[in-house]
Amino acid sequence: MIRNRHIIVVGLQPWDIGIGSNCKNMALELSRHNKVLYVNRALDRITALRAGNDAKTQRRKSSLKGETMDLQAVTSSLYTLDPRTVLESINKVPFPFLFDLLNRMNNKRLAREINSAAARLGFSNPLLFIDNDFFRAFYLPELLNGVTETIYYIRDNLTSQPYFKRHGVRLERQLMAKATMVAANSAFLARYARQYNDHSYDIGQGCEFGTVPAVPPAMPEDLRQLPRPLIGYVGALISSRLDIGLIEHIALAKPAYSIVLVGPEDGTFSASKLHQLPNVHFLGSKPAGMLGDYISQFDVCLNPQAVNEMTIGNYPRKIDEYLFFGKPVVATDTEAMRMFEDYVYLCNGAGPYVEAIDAALEEQNNGSSLGGQRKQFALSHTWENCIAALGEKFSALNKLN
């Protein structure tokens, strides 16, 4: 366990992000036994111009102008920082040497703000925790005062994406190599990181669980008119992560089944043929506190994941959320999903998906008692356990040194 340390957390996701965030959850758990400074993503010039009306951008600008405090207390041991600086937007710079020069300048601007905040908080010998940010945090291990230990956390294969690929492939590998250790949320990503840092470990994944009420919640109004069975997915509908063709096949193969999709859509989903199918129902975004109301009503839960460089190593948090409600789950078979194989129907291909959904429905009709086992398995994936695993690996590494 990491205890009684000052910890600086830098990542891609700001504290006021509107979706679930591993980085936030980990910072909260770390703050139970440590003092934590969570650094919000600094504004860059293009974001300031293009997303000027976004609420997060407005908050950063207010801090820049001195209208709001740059340091905000979340709890007595957790603080957020809105850096009072603007970074240059440099991702399209084609030449590595020029990109590195400008990136160091950006890192220096950010380090100046972090060092100021850390000094005001009385930080000494801080531990640096970097969440997947291999651009803005690349030079921070050298630029932050008193930092001698760095943990790099990888939760996504971001360098497979066009925005990050040009410079990110080399920079992430270099950052992992110079980190004290690398923590990953899946065996796939840990194995990838181990190519560049021998001290790379799969620390698992946590999940936020509410409570299953003693009396089942009332069925959401927009589910009431839909014929059963309800085959549902909850989460962002992003075409790079979900297989639209697979969902379409399921809907066409089983026209009597209601395919229920709960979450915001990207442009590809919005323009897809799924909107023309009478048994596919897009219910839009819902407040986080209501998602369990929908999951509890599903007969079968889906994770129709697309398999690509980005997704193949992902740990899907929603699987734990589904299992927490004891639901049968049909999901795409990947290396990261193998840990769920005793509790989830894993398959690849449209035909096997339809067969697995039918098998899951048959299980439900036969009064399966697997629900309790599924819930207990999901409950083992807590942020407390995740951070405990992180601390165990970090402490063992320190003993070696």
Side-chain angles (χ1 to χ4, degrees), residues 188-204:
F188 180 94
L189 291 174
R191 191 175 70 251
Y192 162 71
R194 209 167 289 123
Q195 299 175 80
Y196 312 104
N197 188 320
D198 290 338
H199 304 297
S200 300
Y201 310 101
D202 175 11
I203 62 169

Side-chain angles (χ1 to χ4, degrees), residues 285-303:
S285 298
K286 305 295 178 184
M290 288 186 61
L291 296 181
D293 297 352
Y294 286 85
I295 295 172
S296 67
Q297 297 295 334
F298 292 159
D299 297 295
V300 176
C301 295
L302 290 183
N303 189 40

